[in-house]
Amino acid sequence: MNEVNQLAEHLFRHESGKMLAVLTRLFGFPNYDTARDVVQDTLLAAMQHWKLNGIPDNPTGWLYTTAKNKVLDRLRKEKFWAEVSPHLIHELQSEQQMQQHIDQLFLEHEIEDSQLRMMFACCHPSLPQEAQITLILRTLCGLSIPEIARAFLSNDENINKRLYRAKDKIRTTPIELEVPEGNDLLPRLNAILKAIYLLFNEGYHSQNPDQFIKKELCEEAIRLGTLLSQHKITNLPKTSALLSLMYFQASRFDARLDEEGNMVLLAHQNREKWNQSMIQQGVQFLNRASEGDELSSYHIEAALASYHAQAKSFETTNWQAIVYLYRLLEQINPTVMVQFNKAIAVGFAYGPERGIEALLLLKEMEKNHYYHTALGDFYKKLNNTLAAKNHYEIALTLTSSKAEWQLIWKKIEEL
């Protein structure tokens, strides 16, 4: 039963967004709740059937077949014909036509096309950008409400309200499932890239109490980014820059946890465990990103990651260059987290005193465990044990991650 639950969760992450995109294309975007109901019914049927009869040889194929059958059952009922996207009604005049059309939609290239259409539909300009990103994270990426709330530094209630308002808007707004061109493309693409970025971050540095790294979320983010890079309209330098960043970060997966599942910080990671193939992918996408004349935040973050990925050791990292890049990033994206990371880089480049000075200016970070952990680290370097212990203890009260709690506790024990 545990194996079934784990597989169901895995497939929900990887396949529910694909099925939802295909079925939304069939039913029409205003009726995507109907498509979501079919997906949920399919996953529920899978869990019930597999617990009784065992996991099939091809679980994904089983899911798709079951979803198609559930759609056909709905379409056979006359009252559900109104749910079908209007331009498809004339194509579905017979049982055979229905079956053939649904089979066609579930072909791999059609699934990918449906996902692209769905991403751009979610980012329609009639919706606020935060609602656009929330819709993508929820519908296509399978993030839970708490996960989305963490990504936005918000709470579950606000995210639920945002989704409700977005769905209400969708029901009353004619939104086409198409990839726009020209002036309509860039604003929507920006929201899509931001959603993929947040998806990767939730996987790379999850605040889930029991799971610090969720590789499958990062893999899904890279897959969606790759999908954008393979389309002639969305294959832009900023798309390549985001992919470069994700490949550089993902290359460190195997070194970020020890054999007991404890966190290993960048300074102590075994760099021989870094995935050199992924680092090369990061370099290739960074080179592609440099072909245009645009400089996005993803370009700078990818360049930052490249300095870490290609340094022979933590000590030989070019921290002065990293400080310069963070200052550049701050001009494009002046968020408190960028300022926080810049302060840490300053401490490594110019000494812990400078790092502490920069951190103490960030008053809005005082309720953040990363902030107090960083201060503790710098005070430790100055042999100020009392101040270091004080900040570590505050950090312990602020983190919800078991892996991070254990790491901070270990820092206290080492003082």
Side-chain angles (χ1 to χ4, degrees):
M1 187 174 294
N2 186 49
E3 185 182 358
V4 169
N5 289 336
Q6 288 179 346
L7 178 60
E9 182 179 356
H10 171 79
L11 289 172
F12 176 77
R13 295 290 199 191
H14 284 272
E15 305 301 334
S16 64
K18 296 178 183 179
M19 289 191 291
L20 183 63
V22 169
L23 299 181
T24 300
R25 189 170 169 186
L26 178 67
F27 290 119
F29 195 56
N31 298 306
Y32 92 92
D33 273 346
T34 301
R36 188 189 60 182
D37 290 343
V38 173
V39 173
Q40 290 178 339
D41 288 347
T42 300
L43 291 167
L44 183 61
M47 292 186 69
Q48 293 172 340
H49 188 272
W50 297 350
K51 285 176 181 178
L52 290 174
N53 302 289
I55 297 172
D57 292 336
N58 182 1
T60 300
W62 192 98
L63 278 181
Y64 286 5
T65 298
T66 302
K68 285 189 273 188
N69 289 337
K70 287 185 177 295
V71 171
L72 284 169
D73 287 342
R74 279 184 177 251
L75 294 179
R76 289 188 188 105
K77 299 174 183 177
E78 186 176 349
K79 65 178 182 179
F80 284 112
W81 275 96
E83 296 179 351
V84 179
S85 187
H87 70 280
L88 294 178
I89 290 179
H90 71 280
E91 298 180 20
L92 307 177
Q93 297 301 316
S94 69
E95 178 91 6
Q96 184 178 4
Q97 283 179 309
M98 284 193 292
Q99 181 73 62
Q100 288 175 345
H101 186 77
I102 293 169
D103 285 342
Q104 177 73 21
L105 286 176
F106 272 92
L107 295 176
E108 185 62 32
H109 70 280
E110 291 290 348
I111 292 174
E112 292 179 352
D113 184 57
S114 296
Q115 285 185 286
L116 272 175
R117 292 167 182 251
M118 184 72 168
M119 282 192 276
F120 279 98
C122 286
C123 294
H124 192 271
S126 65
L127 301 170
Q129 189 176 83
E130 285 193 344
Q132 297 171 11
I133 297 169
T134 300
L135 271 175
I136 291 179
L137 292 174
R138 183 64 171 153
T139 59
L140 277 169
C141 303
L143 286 194
S144 66
I145 297 298
E147 287 171 334
I148 298 171
R150 287 195 294 267
F152 279 102
L153 303 178
S154 184
N155 57 58
D156 295 4
E157 183 182 1
N158 286 340
I159 298 303
N160 276 316
K161 287 179 179 177
R162 188 181 298 169
L163 281 170
Y164 177 82
R165 288 193 293 267
K167 291 175 185 176
D168 191 53
K169 188 73 173 178
I170 288 168
R171 281 189 286 268
T172 60
T173 304
I175 297 175
E176 295 295 328
L177 284 160
E178 298 293 343
V179 178
E181 297 187 29
N183 294 332
D184 294 332
L185 173 70
L186 282 180
R188 297 203 205 184
L189 180 60
N190 289 339
I192 293 169
L193 293 176
K194 181 66 177 295
I196 294 172
Y197 177 82
L198 292 175
L199 174 64
F200 185 89
N201 283 352
E202 174 58 27
Y204 189 75
H205 212 148
S206 173
Q207 290 302 303
N208 184 297
D210 301 314
Q211 194 175 5
F212 176 64
I213 298 173
K214 296 180 180 178
K215 282 188 180 181
E216 59 189 16
L217 294 187
C218 296
E219 291 167 353
E220 182 66 3
I222 290 174
R223 188 187 69 80
L224 291 173
T226 302
L227 195 61
L228 291 173
S229 75
Q230 292 171 344
H231 193 282
K232 63 180 181 179
I233 297 177
T234 56
N235 182 25
L236 298 178
K238 66 174 66 177
T239 305
S240 295
L242 177 56
L243 274 167
S244 172
L245 170 62
M246 293 191 293
Y247 270 113
F248 281 134
Q249 299 291 68
S251 70
R252 302 202 292 264
F253 274 146
D254 293 342
R256 296 185 68 221
L257 296 176
D258 64 19
E259 294 178 357
E260 286 76 40
N262 299 314
M263 279 180 61
V264 181
L265 294 176
L266 181 63
H268 307 297
Q269 287 176 13
N270 179 356
R271 299 189 176 218
E272 292 183 359
K273 291 185 177 181
W274 289 3
N275 188 316
Q276 294 302 315
S277 175
M278 282 191 165
I279 290 174
Q280 287 307 309
Q281 286 275 72
V283 171
Q284 290 173 18
F285 276 110
L286 188 56
N287 289 338
R288 283 172 56 178
S290 67
E291 293 173 0
D293 56 4
E294 179 186 18
L295 183 65
S296 69
S297 60
Y298 304 121
H299 283 82
I300 300 173
E301 289 195 51
L304 283 162
S306 74
Y307 273 105
H308 290 298
Q310 298 181 85
K312 297 298 182 184
S313 66
F314 186 80
E315 292 73 22
T316 60
T317 304
N318 189 342
W319 287 105
Q320 286 81 9
I322 288 175
V323 170
Y324 169 79
L325 286 171
Y326 271 121
R327 286 173 178 159
L328 196 60
L329 181 60
E330 191 177 15
Q331 296 176 27
I332 298 176
N333 187 25
T335 66
V336 67
M337 286 307 297
V338 171
Q339 294 168 343
F340 171 71
N341 287 319
K342 183 188 72 174
I344 293 175
V346 165
F348 284 120
Y350 304 111
E353 296 94 339
R354 293 277 302 276
I356 291 170
E357 289 174 10
L359 285 169
L360 290 177
L361 295 174
L362 304 177
K363 300 298 183 184
E364 56 268 63
M365 290 284 293
E366 289 180 350
K367 297 296 183 182
N368 187 291
H369 64 283
Y370 297 128
Y371 171 81
H372 289 284
T373 303
L375 279 171
D377 289 344
F378 284 142
Y379 278 119
K380 180 181 177 182
K381 287 178 179 292
L382 294 173
N383 295 317
N384 189 338
T385 304
L386 186 62
K389 185 172 184 289
N390 178 55
H391 284 287
Y392 286 149
E393 288 176 344
I394 295 173
L396 282 179
T397 69
L398 295 173
T399 183
S400 60
S401 167
K402 186 182 296 182
E404 289 180 336
W405 194 96
Q406 291 171 338
L407 177 64
I408 298 166
W409 181 252
K410 185 178 178 181
K411 288 175 180 285
I412 293 174
E413 290 181 326
E414 290 173 349
L415 287 174

